[in-house]
Amino acid sequence: MATAIRPIGHEERLSLVEHLDELRTRLIVSVAALAVAFGFCLWQNHELLHLINAPLSKQTEKQVAKGNGPLGQTALAQQGVLKVAHDTEAIVGALSAPGSGLSTATRSELSAVIPRLKADVAKIPRKPEGNKPVTLGIGEPFTTTLTVTLFFALIVSLPVILYELYGFILPALSPNERRIAVPLLTAIPFLFVVGVAFGYFVVLPAAVRFFQNFNSGEFNVLVQANQYYKFAATVLLAMGLVFQVPVAILAATRLGIVTPRQLRKNRRYAILACAAVAAFLPGDAVTLILETVPLYVLYEASILVAALVGRRDAKRAQGAEASMGNPAPNPDDQAEPSVQIIDHVDPDHTS
């Protein structure tokens, strides 16, 4: 179990059985972390469903307020019923008043009706309960809940799983390679979480607004839960992967594939690439701009980081050479051995 807590050193030598035992231990720890996260997310599944449903609910409520779709028509009907009920309550109250001109018996009967009328009005819902995705199958509420729970459990347990993966891979790298790889591997989960957050707060609401409003006058828009959660997961995972651009660029510069100067010269191609990637993501023209700008910012930030890291490595190399203190070889000293050899050659010897 200790191998799952600390990485194996590069100088340590393990047999095949020991490697397999280490892999088994790390897999057990990863599965245990996923199981704990899954249990916690299943316990809080109502909050998680409310969180993932929030972009859809807000957009549906906007459509309902405009009277669009079946829910909008239901909302208009409910508002009409409420208005009629309040008007009826006011009329009955006025007729049951002493100065209404009605007989005492009639006013008493109307006064007895007022409490029942108020109770009936209170039972009328103020807005339709339809701002959540719908389920069609008998087991779909259960399966979709498990799907959403597993998705959030993977995100919660991601640090532990990545730590175990890094701990198994890093011993194969030399100290110099590890010095390059560790910062990159550490940045992956952080950028992934930032990308998922950006997708949730910016991309997903814009995508839901675009698709729900597109030609909505020709359809009764009811969103199925299974399809919506797949769509939301695709958007969030795509943004998490897109935000790995700095890691890819920094890795390419550290490996010598490209240089920061080459990346700066190709800025116009980078803008086109960012726009192309954003065009493949769901959304409208406004969403395209909102997605292109952060991608290009990530590109420029990657160039800056790569340049700073390159300067730091160059300074370290210069410091290492200076600390060694080896003087440059003297050409005259290199010529002496050849002269001495020639002096000891026997002129009478023939090959």
Side-chain angles (χ1 to χ4, degrees), residues 244-257:
Q244 303 302 317
V245 169
V247 176
I249 292 178
L250 189 58
T253 55
R254 297 299 295 273
L255 294 175
I257 300 176

Side-chain angles (χ1 to χ4, degrees), residues 9 11 38 67 83 231 235 277 279 302 310:
E11 67 282 353
F38 182 82
K83 188 176 185 304
F231 173 76
V235 171
V277 172
S302 304

Side-chain angles (χ1 to χ4, degrees), residues 310-325:
R311 293 172 185 172
R312 184 196 64 183
D313 293 342
K315 291 181 179 180
R316 286 181 177 178
Q318 292 177 358
E321 292 178 358
S323 62
M324 293 176 62

Side-chain angles (χ1 to χ4, degrees), residues 194-335:
V194 173
V196 169
F198 178 80
Y200 177 78
F201 290 105
V202 177
V203 180
L204 185 59
V208 171
R209 180 178 63 253
F210 171 76
F211 286 118
Q212 275 207 297
N213 290 323
F214 182 80
N215 211 11
S216 59
E218 303 298 327
F219 303 95
N220 290 330
V221 181
L222 293 175
V223 181
Q224 188 178 355
N226 189 25
Q227 299 298 324
Y228 170 70
Y229 294 140
K230 287 182 179 179
F231 173 76
T234 301
V235 171
L236 298 182
L237 289 176
M239 294 309 303
L241 294 177
V242 166
F243 269 63
Q244 303 302 317
V245 169
V247 176
I249 292 178
L250 189 58
T253 55
R254 297 299 295 273
L255 294 175
I257 300 176
V258 294
T259 63
R261 180 176 298 178
Q262 292 174 336
L263 294 175
R264 293 191 187 97
K265 291 175 62 177
N266 296 321
R267 279 192 174 99
R268 57 184 181 274
Y269 301 111
I271 296 175
L272 292 177
C274 293
V277 172
F280 278 102
L281 296 175
D284 53 4
V286 177
T287 311
L288 177 65
I289 298 175
L290 292 177
E291 294 167 350
T292 304
V293 171
L295 290 178
Y296 183 70
V297 171
L298 288 174
Y299 179 81
E300 291 293 339
S302 304
I303 296 176
L304 179 61
V305 173
L308 293 176
V309 172
R311 293 172 185 172
R312 184 196 64 183
D313 293 342
K315 291 181 179 180
R316 286 181 177 178
Q318 292 177 358
E321 292 178 358
S323 62
M324 293 176 62
N326 295 329
N330 190 351
D332 298 334
D333 295 337
Q334 292 178 353

